[in-house]
Amino acid sequence: PGDNGLAVNARINYPKGVALDVSTGRVYISDTYNNVVRVVDPASGIISTFAGNNFEGYSGDNGPATSAQLNYPSGLAFAANKLYIADAMNGAIRAVSTQN
């Protein structure tokens, strides 16, 4: 709940990781039990899904990030215009471009 609404009204289920993109001010949050990563736009305060489709699993490499399946996304880190997601229950690190 809360996608495309104000972040202060959103429900996040077990946030395990937070990362700040210092170049844009966007805040990325691992919404772990919903199997997604959310992003908050600093100018508008709007939260939306950045990666994951709410279903646990492993799929979606090289496709749209919001179509990918994640399983217990936890730690988040930035490097070279990519957000790296610790996809814990899949034992994988997933990389998603932060460039539009």
Side-chain angles (χ1 to χ4, degrees):
D3 250 8
N4 302 313
L6 290 176
V8 297
N9 298 325
R11 293 187 195 170
I12 297 174
N13 196 354
Y14 200 62
K16 286 278 293 178
V18 175
L20 172 67
D21 182 342
V22 295
S23 67
T24 64
R26 290 183 181 144
V27 176
Y28 295 82
I29 304 162
S30 59
D31 190 349
T32 304
Y33 286 169
N34 286 321
N35 298 302
V36 297
V37 174
R38 315 277 294 278
V39 61
V40 179
D41 180 86
S44 65
I46 300 294
I47 192 168
S48 58
T49 298
F50 175 75
N53 65 5
N54 291 104
F55 296 100
E56 68 181 53
Y58 187 95
S59 70
D61 285 353
N62 301 312
T66 53
S67 296
Q69 286 182 297
L70 303 172
N71 193 351
Y72 204 83
S74 51
L76 304 173
F78 279 100
N81 297 316
K82 291 184 181 174
L83 178 67
Y84 291 85
I85 303 165
D87 192 0
M89 296 305 284
N90 284 320
I93 304 297
R94 312 283 289 271
V96 182
S97 174
T98 58
Q99 302 298 301
N100 293 339

